[in-house]
Every structure is written in structure tokens, then in C-alpha cells.
Amino acid sequence: VGLLEDLEARRAALDVAAAAARVTVPWLIVHGESDTTVELHEAELLARAAPDARLRIVADAGHTYEVGHPFGGPTPQLGEALAAVCLEPLRAVLQVGDAKNLRRTLLLTAQLAELGLPMVLALNMHDEARAKGVHVDAALVSELTGVSTQLTVATRGEGVDELPALLAAAQPSAL
């Protein structure tokens, strides 16, 4: 089976807008204006599709809110993204991070954990991480961060169905 045939066979499972429309609780999408990994129009599509979604665009921010190194501290863009989260009456936070770049992902995890909100970490692109020889132990990440962690491959829908239950049971991190 080729890539196009695989995508066509999984069309319904990969319909992100349809999945967003099924979300039954209010949610906030925080997105970098200059994100080239997940382009802005994708976030706008989600916001339009979901009845209770709100979109907050962070100016001059890319996919990682310009965070370069964990010890470099937060950037103004990351500060704005965190402020957006702090100003919303949230029940839980779902952080979608890159499984190939745990250093950047876990930096943001630590900063989000400081908010004291219940949260879940979805380590996405797990298949690409594995192909690069990166083994991610979700149970160990959960244990070390105090955040429920799910490995996902969003393009194939892997691990995504478990996220609503994890969010419903989410607890604040003990970091």
C-alpha cells in the first residue's frame, strides 16, 4: 500500500476538523503566527470547526515559541503563550509536543506544570522519533514529570482516542 492509498483509506480517521467539531467542552488553541511546522491556517480551521474553541495567535512566534535551549529561559513569545493560558478559565491543559525533540518539549512541560493546572502531555510524531532511534518511555516521562503522557502519531490517529479520558482524569503535576 502506497502513501496516497494509506491516506485515502484513513481519510475519516484523519479528519482533524471533524474531530475538533466533536469536542464538547470549551477549549483554547494557542498558536504561533510564524509557525511553519503547523501552519496558522490549520489552527484557524480547528477554531472554525469547533463550536467552543477560541484561537489565540502569538505574534512573531514559531512552532516552539522561539525557545532555543532549556537554560535560556522563556522567550517573550513563550511568555505570551503562557499568559494566554493563565488568563483562561481552563479545566486542563493538553500539551502536544514533538517526541523527536524532548528537550524543547519538556522545557515547556515544566513551565506549564508551574501553572498548577491539570495537564496531559501528548508526545506526537512518535513514529518519526523511533525511526531516528529515539526511544521514548511514556511511563518514565509520566513518572518524572507527574504528567500523564501519551505517545501519539496524529497523522495515523494512533494514541489520540485515549486523550479525552486522560484529560478527564488529569491532575496537576508535582514538579
Side-chain angles (χ1 to χ4, degrees):
V1 175
L3 175 63
L4 292 177
E5 292 85 7
D6 186 40
L7 288 173
E8 187 60 37
R10 298 173 188 261
R11 179 182 294 261
L14 299 175
D15 188 345
V16 176
R22 290 191 303 269
V23 175
T24 60
V25 296
W27 53 304
L28 173 68
I29 302 164
V30 181
H31 197 86
E33 176 184 53
S34 305
D35 190 338
T36 57
T37 303
V38 178
E39 294 181 7
L40 182 58
H41 70 87
E42 304 267 349
E44 292 168 336
L45 172 73
L46 285 179
R48 281 192 307 273
D52 288 327
R54 293 192 324 139
L55 175 60
R56 175 72 179 265
I57 299 169
V58 178
D60 301 318
H63 192 66
T64 60
Y65 302 100
E66 308 317 304
V67 172
H69 190 278
F71 300 124
T75 62
Q77 295 88 343
L78 179 60
E80 185 178 336
L82 291 171
V85 171
C86 289
L87 296 174
E88 292 291 324
L90 303 176
R91 285 193 264 163
V93 173
L94 171 61
Q95 177 194 357
V96 180
D98 183 348
K100 301 183 312 290
N101 196 337
L102 286 177
R103 183 176 297 170
R104 281 191 191 165
T105 295
L106 294 177
L107 171 65
L108 181 56
T109 304
Q111 291 175 331
L112 287 169
E114 289 178 6
L115 299 175
L117 293 168
M119 64 182 290
V120 171
L121 172 60
L123 288 173
N124 196 36
M125 297 184 281
H126 172 61
D127 57 335
E128 293 179 25
R130 195 176 5 184
K132 289 185 173 196
V134 176
H135 171 73
V136 180
D137 184 335
L140 181 59
V141 172
S142 292
E143 180 183 330
L144 294 174
T145 62
V147 176
S148 293
T149 303
Q150 176 69 34
L151 300 177
T152 62
V153 181
T155 57
R156 293 197 303 253
E158 291 177 16
V160 175
D161 290 340
E162 291 84 350
L163 294 174
L166 289 173
L167 282 165
Q171 299 293 318
S173 170
L175 282 180

